[in-house]
Amino acid sequence: MKKNILMTGSSGLIGAALLKHLTKEGYSVSLLKRSKVLNANEFFWDPSRGEFDNLALKGIDLVVHLAGEPIAQRWSSSAKKRIVNSRVNGTRLLAEKIAQSQALPSLICASGTNYYGDQPEGVVDESSPPGLGFLAEVCRQWESAANPAIEAGVRVVFMRTGIVLSGQGGALAKMLPFFKAGLGGRIGHGRQKMSWISLPDLVSAYVFAVENVSVQGAVNAVAPEPVTNSKFTKTLGKVLGRPTVFPLPSGLVKIFFGEMGRETVLSNLGVLPKSLTELGFEWQQAELEIALKQTLS
Ligand SMILES: NC(=O)c1ccc[n+]([C@@H]2O[C@H](COP(=O)([O-])OP(=O)(O)OC[C@H]3O[C@@H](n4cnc5c(N)ncnc54)[C@H](OP(=O)(O)O)[C@@H]3O)[C@@H](O)[C@H]2O)c1
């Protein structure tokens, strides 16, 4: 029997792709939405006010929680509050409601590889401690907010996700116009590692976590090998058939994007998917060039 799934953040880049896939595969998916205009199988919640329609969890086997204020914006103090609070309040509210429910559905919660912070000295896996910086702290608090569910004995998975490759949204979509115009280039010195995953592989990783009860705790949702920013830049240029000779100096990144630029595109984030590898997950787009070709075709 296919599982009954409740999902938050279904209108986002990952949520829309996952919802489409799960529905096609015959799962019954209902949605938690912040809008008061609701269709069948949609339920209201407002994490900022602690409001939650308890009917949403009725008959649910598993909750997939993706909602959160976008990270890619200038981090004013009010934006930072929204980024933290949307994740911490939403996750805590869900975890408490799950813990109070009779069926104790599993919780699969998004998180980010930024959990590990800037790692100038090499690569990390799920056993590595949290790093420093705003995003690392967001991820740490985001995951801790699920404690009420963990304490109630619920299976909780944290999908520590790398840069998701999609032409429709996220980091790659923002870079594309520059690269297509031949204005792309490495960022900073270009030696910083990037951990990425194709959107179809990420959807498969979520389905893998839905179906395998042995998936529990932190899971790095990234391709098997991180690449340097220079390698990423060259590969994207090759796939698009465009030169990549205009480096973006780190000084300009800091001026235009501030702290956000420093913690994302300038950070060394070499993350290995130890858990997915050990559990036997198979990537369809493990090579960057193939992933970019298929993403942009
Ligand atoms: N894309 C990536 O490269 C990437 C990498 C690492 C981690 N992640 C994490 O994975 C999750 C999903 O990513 P995504 O790329 O699909 O994100 P997204 O496109 O920005 O969508 C996130 C969804 O969260 C909900 N949302 C937005 N602002 C909110 C707020 N202030 N309070 C509560 N809910 C809010 C919205 O759904 P509703 O309008 O339906 O509520 C939105 O569609 C996010 O938490 C993100 O941080 C993404």
Side-chain angles (χ1 to χ4, degrees):
M1 257 275 283
K2 292 280 189 188
K3 294 186 170 59
N4 295 321
I5 296 174
L6 177 66
M7 189 188 288
T8 76
S10 59
S11 60
L13 176 69
I14 300 168
L18 182 59
L19 175 61
K20 192 171 164 196
H21 180 87
L22 290 171
T23 310
K24 197 170 123 233
E25 292 298 310
Y27 291 88
S28 158
V29 187
S30 42
L31 310 177
L32 265 184
K33 298 242 175 192
R34 291 173 299 153
S35 159
K36 291 216 164 157
V37 184
L38 297 167
N39 296 314
N41 285 337
E42 293 183 353
F43 299 89
F44 177 73
W45 80 325
D46 183 348
S48 64
R49 292 166 180 266
E51 293 176 12
F52 185 95
D53 182 346
N54 286 319
L55 287 177
L57 282 174
K58 200 164 169 239
I60 292 298
D61 303 304
L62 198 137
V63 179
V64 176
H65 175 38
L66 303 167
E69 172 80 14
I71 302 286
Q73 56 178 304
R74 191 143 189 125
W75 291 351
S76 62
S77 57
S78 59
K80 277 180 153 181
K81 269 188 201 141
R82 288 195 305 275
I83 289 169
V84 177
N85 291 346
S86 61
R87 287 173 173 77
V88 172
N89 295 343
T91 306
R92 189 177 301 120
L93 182 59
L94 267 177
E96 284 170 359
K97 293 293 175 182
I98 288 171
Q100 287 159 15
S101 72
Q102 278 195 336
L104 296 178
S106 303
L107 172 63
I108 302 180
C109 181
S111 181
T113 49
N114 299 86
Y115 176 91
Y116 305 105
D118 186 33
Q119 295 286 337
E121 295 307 321
V123 288
V124 291
D125 62 32
E126 288 88 347
S127 63
S128 305
L132 298 174
F134 171 67
L135 281 183
E137 182 57 22
V138 169
C139 292
R140 203 192 56 72
Q141 288 189 31
W142 190 2
E143 296 187 7
S144 297
N147 279 344
I150 295 172
E151 283 156 16
V154 167
R155 177 172 75 98
V156 178
V157 180
F158 301 109
M159 297 292 264
R160 293 183 183 158
T161 307
I163 298 166
V164 180
L165 299 188
S166 163
Q168 266 66 57
L172 178 62
K174 287 195 173 66
M175 291 178 206
L176 274 180
F178 299 99
F179 277 78
K180 282 183 176 167
L183 297 171
R186 66 176 156 74
I187 302 176
H189 54 55
R191 292 188 300 277
Q192 69 277 29
K193 288 208 176 70
M194 302 168 65
S195 295
W196 59 276
I197 185 164
S198 74
L199 185 54
D201 273 344
L202 180 59
V203 166
S204 299
Y206 269 94
V207 175
F208 188 76
V210 164
E211 287 303 333
N212 291 281
V213 287
S214 48
V215 183
Q216 185 144 13
V219 170
N220 291 337
V222 292
E225 280 191 37
V227 294
T228 62
N229 175 264
S230 288
K231 166 101 189 274
F232 187 93
T233 301
K234 279 190 197 132
T235 311
L236 181 55
K238 184 177 170 197
V239 168
L240 291 171
R242 292 284 185 277
T244 53
V245 291
F246 291 102
L248 180 58
S250 55
L252 279 186
V253 173
K254 287 172 192 164
I255 289 169
F256 288 133
F257 305 107
E259 193 182 358
M260 196 270 285
R262 214 169 45 240
E263 287 203 16
T264 54
V265 291
L266 293 176
S267 268
N268 196 53
L269 289 166
V271 178
L272 298 177
K274 187 163 180 249
S275 173
L276 282 180
T277 306
E278 285 176 358
L279 289 161
F281 178 76
E282 288 178 14
W283 285 261
Q284 297 305 309
Q285 293 160 330
E287 299 285 330
L288 181 63
E289 188 170 336
I290 293 169
L292 282 172
K293 271 188 189 149
Q294 293 180 355
T295 299
L296 301 175
S297 66

